[in-house]
Amino acid sequence: MNYYVLTLFPEMIQQAAGASILGRAAKNGFITVEAVNIRDFSANKHMRVDDYPYGGGAGMVMEAEPVYRAVRAVEEKAGRTMRVVYLTPQGRVLNQTMVEEFAREEALVLLCGHYEGIDERVLEEVVTDYVSIGDYVLTGGELGAMVMIDAISRFVPGVLSNEESSQFESLQDNLLEYPHYTRPEIWHDRQVPPVLLSGDHKKIEEWRHQKSLERTKSRRPDLFRRSYRVSCIWHGDERTGGVAEL
Ligand SMILES: Nc1nonc1C(=O)NC1CCNCC1
């Protein structure tokens, strides 16, 4: 998977993408992350890429031309057009289903805005997907881009080790992950649940599934209802819903 991140702060992307699992994946060639500085495509000698908004109001707006030139330059370098994802609160809120869909692409352009936003006219011309990482306002789209790169890269073969990829896929079947424990058996007078010490893998699996259900119902009732609804629809009968009654 090749990522082209259009940003005013390439160092943010380079540092985050060069560390930890993503850094290892890039070093091993499983992913590439190229931070492209939109300022390099500025149309003026002062390298300015923003201007005052028509209609007045606070803040500045990123100009259309530098963004347009940056997208076209990336497409020319890649030798192909790609989906262009604009990170913005006005986008669809990212979820695991969307992550898995994006993971099927070979390459993605991630456009990071700053200030009040980007001139609408270039968005209309180049953006294919509007994505938000949550209903809050950030100072820039870079962290959104890194969230996408991180979540998508988990699906790229070779990025996760066997241990890492064997992780319970949180949000699998719309359920949250079960609680985890490791040594010591007793910590602050808190005992590891005995079933986990039993060696009975069937009971351990049942206990973990039940904990996932309980945790989802208490912490994310919205997901729980979705999971229950899907199960009922699948069974076609409210009484035989596939999710255990708690
Ligand atoms: N939430 C968000 N998900 O993706 N991007 C988000 C965001 O808040 N972007 C900022 C919006 C204000 N201008 C600077 C960028």
Side-chain angles (χ1 to χ4, degrees):
M1 169 67 85
N2 300 315
Y3 303 98
Y4 300 89
V5 184
L6 308 187
T7 171
L8 292 177
F9 299 96
E11 67 279 5
M12 266 184 82
I13 302 297
Q14 289 157 349
Q15 285 175 15
S20 184
I21 290 174
L22 292 179
R24 184 184 69 198
K27 187 179 170 191
N28 294 335
F30 296 120
I31 64 171
T32 67
V33 181
E34 183 171 341
V36 176
N37 193 337
I38 297 169
R39 206 173 292 282
D40 292 346
F41 298 89
S42 169
N44 64 72
K45 64 177 181 298
H46 301 298
M47 303 298 278
R48 201 190 67 240
V49 293
D50 64 297
D51 207 337
Y52 295 98
Y54 278 117
M60 305 294 277
V61 174
M62 287 177 68
E63 296 172 38
E65 186 62 18
V67 172
Y68 180 80
R69 288 179 182 179
V71 172
R72 291 296 176 249
V74 161
E75 289 178 340
E76 194 171 325
K77 179 176 182 180
R80 50 168 294 186
T81 58
M82 293 161 276
R83 287 171 78 170
V84 177
V85 178
Y86 178 42
L87 281 304
T88 172
Q90 285 87 44
R92 283 178 67 204
V93 177
L94 187 67
N95 61 32
Q96 197 67 3
T97 302
M98 291 164 67
V99 168
E100 291 176 25
E101 183 215 329
F102 283 119
R104 288 194 279 272
E105 299 292 337
E106 288 177 6
L108 286 172
V109 178
L110 303 175
L111 173 58
C112 305
H114 268 268
Y115 312 115
E116 291 310 301
I118 299 177
D119 189 304
E120 190 67 18
R121 291 165 294 182
V122 69
L123 299 179
E124 288 169 356
E125 280 204 19
V126 305
V127 173
T128 57
D129 302 86
Y130 293 80
V131 174
S132 169
I133 61 166
D135 292 331
Y136 37 77
V137 181
L138 303 168
T139 57
E142 283 76 11
L143 292 180
M146 283 314 305
V147 164
M148 286 195 70
I149 290 172
D150 191 297
I152 292 167
S153 297
R154 294 183 72 255
F155 287 88
V156 175
V159 170
L160 296 183
S161 68
N162 290 336
E163 297 72 37
E164 290 154 344
S165 57
S166 66
Q167 262 183 0
F168 176 97
E169 282 299 325
S170 194
L171 296 184
Q172 184 173 343
D173 303 328
N174 283 317
L175 291 179
L176 301 184
E177 213 159 82
Y178 47 79
H180 298 280
Y181 301 86
T182 190
R183 289 179 294 186
E185 269 188 47
I186 298 175
W187 178 82
H188 283 201
D189 297 330
R190 295 171 182 267
Q191 160 75 41
V192 170
V195 67
L196 298 180
L197 309 174
S198 68
D200 184 330
H201 295 296
K202 187 173 184 313
K203 280 189 177 174
I204 290 170
E205 190 178 340
E206 287 168 354
W207 179 88
R208 284 176 168 172
H209 184 60
Q210 186 60 26
K211 286 300 173 187
S212 287
L213 291 171
E214 289 170 8
R215 181 164 285 197
T216 307
K217 187 166 188 177
S218 66
R219 296 185 186 179
R220 287 293 305 275
D222 59 309
L223 283 181
F224 183 80
R225 280 192 295 274
R226 192 187 309 167
S227 174
Y228 185 83
R229 191 165 56 249
V230 168
S231 303
C232 290
I233 291 167
W234 180 56
H235 288 286
D237 176 338
E238 284 291 328
R239 288 165 302 168
T240 60
V243 173
E245 279 302 322
L246 297 172

